[in-house]
Amino acid sequence: MTTPLTVHLLNISTCPLSNATTHPFLQQAGRGQIPKPLLSQWLSQDRLYAQSYIRFIGLLLSKIRLPPHNPDSSKPRTSTAEHRAMEVLIDALVNIRTELQFFEDTADEYGLDLTALPVAMEDEERERGECVRGEDRAEESYFGPNRITQAYIDMFMSAGSAATSLLEGMVVLWATEACYLQAWRFAASCGASRKSTAGPEQDADGGALRMRFIPNWTSPEFEAFVRRIGDVVDELAGQIKGAEERENLMGRCVQWWRQVVWLEERFWPVVKVD
């Protein structure tokens, strides 16, 4: 039996995936230790990331070609992988609309700034020990996507381009959501193991993460949605004919997966570790 593509992707880069989904920011988020200014900076970037999903999903929908009629009228209509892809993508658009409103409502409730200026990426790169070029600190002076958020947006546009297959685009969609779910599950586990008796209201962010965001991003509904995307990915991958074509397409899917994992690790803000 052939290994499903999603299982294969999860197994080929366990160490980078762990780094991306067990980041110190997530640990502190689960323990209620992220202050409002830092949370606002990250949320403002996450919101820009979410907004870029709308165009990305639209590009993926444009790739779908549904059969104009039932090929055999004597048999009942059956749902195809393309139909299921269309359904999950439409649901993704509905979810994004709900998510963006959720951002607004929660920010108002907890006094968070969704237009907080991004932190200078040079500082974060130094913290990671990465090479830093001598550049102006322009990212502190205006609101917009930082370099990692912009890299995500550019990746979405590339994955939705005419040169990219529907399968590859769905892999990118699944990869981002699967990493996000796994990351916030880790954060939730850190909160569950916390020994402090103080309630979420005493958290550095007033409880926004532990009372609103983390429950939303680890909900059974979100988990089921991620599973549905994965099922479509595996079904589309199973339709590939020809060993050479399959090898080439699988190789491209692996590259998309690795790109998502690389970006995901760098999407979390650098925090001081005790």
Side-chain angles (χ1 to χ4, degrees), residues 4 52 68 74-75 78 86-87 98 122 180 229:
S52 70
S74 66
K75 297 180 180 179
T78 57
M86 177 189 68
E87 290 167 356
T98 303
E122 291 87 350
Y180 206 72
I229 302 173

Side-chain angles (χ1 to χ4, degrees), residues 90-102:
I90 291 173
D91 287 345
L93 282 176
V94 174
N95 291 345
I96 285 297
R97 182 183 63 180
T98 303
E99 184 81 352
L100 290 173
Q101 186 60 53
F102 171 66

Side-chain angles (χ1 to χ4, degrees), residues 100-261:
L100 290 173
Q101 186 60 53
F102 171 66
F103 272 53
E104 298 281 353
D105 294 343
T106 307
D108 288 344
E109 181 180 0
Y110 288 92
L112 302 170
D113 182 6
L114 293 180
T115 58
L117 295 179
V119 67
M121 294 300 293
E122 291 87 350
D123 294 342
E124 297 209 341
E125 289 166 358
R126 287 191 184 93
E127 290 285 345
R128 294 189 181 102
E130 297 177 358
C131 179
V132 179
R133 296 169 297 176
E135 297 181 354
D136 295 334
R137 298 163 65 86
E139 287 175 309
E140 291 184 318
S141 62
Y142 69 94
F143 176 69
N146 64 27
R147 284 204 289 273
I148 296 301
T149 305
Q150 187 61 56
Y152 254 123
I153 294 171
D154 293 343
M155 180 187 66
F156 290 151
M157 296 305 99
S158 180
S161 68
T164 307
S165 67
L166 175 62
L167 172 59
E168 292 171 76
M170 293 299 297
V171 164
V172 169
L173 177 63
W174 169 78
T176 57
E177 299 289 41
C179 287
Y180 206 72
L181 174 62
Q182 188 165 326
W184 288 110
R185 277 178 170 172
F186 170 74
S189 71
C190 293
S193 63
R194 188 185 185 198
K195 296 181 180 180
S196 173
T197 58
E201 299 84 359
Q202 305 302 315
D203 290 354
D205 64 357
L209 278 163
R210 292 208 293 155
M211 294 180 68
R212 294 290 185 270
F213 289 116
I214 292 177
N216 182 64
W217 295 329
T218 58
S219 67
E221 293 79 10
F222 182 45
E223 181 180 359
F225 176 66
V226 175
R227 189 182 308 115
R228 284 179 60 205
I229 302 173
D231 289 343
V232 170
V233 167
D234 291 336
E235 188 173 3
L236 289 172
Q239 293 180 345
I240 302 171
K241 306 298 183 183
E244 184 176 354
E245 180 182 358
R246 180 175 181 82
E247 182 178 356
N248 290 337
L249 193 49
M250 292 302 99
R252 294 199 297 273
C253 289
V254 167
Q255 291 305 312
W256 286 115
W257 165 254
R258 286 177 171 159
Q259 185 174 354
V260 169
V261 172

Side-chain angles (χ1 to χ4, degrees), residues 1 11 39 47 54 60 70 77 116 119 168 207 220 223 261 271:
M1 181 177 178
N11 289 336
L39 179 57
R47 181 167 167 262
I54 298 172
L60 295 186
N70 191 11
R77 293 180 181 271
V119 67
E168 292 171 76
E223 181 180 359
V261 172
V271 294

Side-chain angles (χ1 to χ4, degrees), residues 51-71:
Q51 288 173 338
S52 70
Y53 252 34
I54 298 172
R55 186 178 177 191
F56 175 45
I57 298 301
L59 291 171
L60 295 186
L61 281 167
S62 71
K63 295 178 181 295
I64 296 176
R65 297 292 181 266
L66 299 177
H69 58 81
N70 191 11

